[in-house]
Amino acid sequence: MKNKSKIVILVTGGTFDKEYNEITGKLFFSESHIKEMLKLGRCRIKVDIKNLMLKDSLDMEKIDRKLILDACLRTSANKIVITHGTDTMTKTAKLLSENIKDKTIVFTGAMIPYKFGASDGLFNLGSALTATQILNHGIYIAINGNLFNWNEVKKNQKKGVFESTY
């Protein structure tokens, strides 16, 4: 199966792009790691990376979600991957599902920051890129080897995993 359509990756932050400050012991944002991750994963598909923000999803406000929606609506690409914090990923997905019907949008994130070395981020990014190429139009979440319809999943905060609600 060959798919030459360009995929747009919208970067919004989340654990995916956090780093660790060894002095303060706190996590922080410096820059997105997406380009490095694509290189490490030997990605051979056409992508266009748009850095929208670097925010923890718990700190996202209505205006941030509107910015993500506007970016999805403005792009001519109909295949989009969104890196997003896992805590409120479904909240942003809901807004997009109410306003976009003609694109394939796959959210992904990580439970462990990429810079920690043992992150699930690289695997999740690859899964999201693959899913975006083969799925019909809709809003999805690709995480830890699972693919969910956005409205059939929830994050189990105690276990730190996404579970089907269907």
Side-chain angles (χ1 to χ4, degrees):
M1 174 183 296
K2 290 186 178 185
N3 191 333
K4 300 286 185 188
S5 298
K6 178 174 63 175
I7 298 173
V8 170
I9 301 174
L10 300 177
V11 176
T12 70
T15 299
F16 214 89
D17 277 319
K18 286 187 176 177
E19 295 188 41
Y20 180 71
N21 183 318
E22 295 159 355
I23 296 170
T24 65
K26 295 186 181 194
L27 296 175
F28 70 99
F29 291 107
S30 172
E31 61 185 357
S32 176
H33 309 300
I34 296 298
K35 286 182 183 177
E36 179 182 337
M37 294 170 78
L38 292 171
K39 185 176 179 181
L40 181 64
R42 298 177 46 89
C43 182
R44 297 293 181 254
I45 58 175
K46 295 178 186 177
V47 297
D48 185 12
I49 303 167
K50 306 254 187 229
N51 294 307
L52 298 182
M53 66 190 81
L54 290 174
K55 270 194 168 181
D56 187 298
S57 71
L58 291 173
D59 297 329
M60 279 190 180
E61 299 177 8
K62 194 174 188 178
I63 190 77
D64 300 312
R65 293 180 210 293
K66 175 86 166 71
L67 178 67
I68 297 167
L69 172 61
D70 289 346
C72 290
L73 291 171
R74 276 194 316 269
T75 184
S76 61
N78 66 359
K79 298 176 185 308
I80 302 169
V81 169
I82 300 175
T83 64
H84 195 290
T86 59
D87 288 313
T88 68
M89 189 180 282
T90 56
K91 189 172 183 178
T92 304
K94 181 179 190 300
L95 174 66
L96 270 53
S97 75
E98 293 167 348
N99 293 279
I100 301 172
K101 305 294 182 206
D102 61 344
K103 297 184 184 220
T104 303
I105 301 173
V106 179
F107 283 81
T108 196
M111 301 297 181
I112 301 167
Y114 167 72
K115 282 296 187 178
F116 280 27
S119 174
D120 52 337
L122 186 61
F123 179 73
N124 293 340
L125 179 61
S127 297
L129 287 167
T130 299
T132 305
Q133 294 176 72
I134 62 172
L135 292 170
N136 292 324
H137 292 324
I139 314 292
Y140 306 91
I141 294 175
I143 195 152
N144 303 123
N146 290 301
L147 183 61
F148 302 99
N149 289 313
W150 79 268
N151 59 342
E152 296 176 353
V153 65
K154 67 175 180 167
K155 182 178 177 182
N156 181 324
Q157 299 288 354
K158 290 181 181 174
K159 293 181 182 178
V161 297
F162 277 77
E163 299 174 330
S164 176
T165 59
Y166 184 69

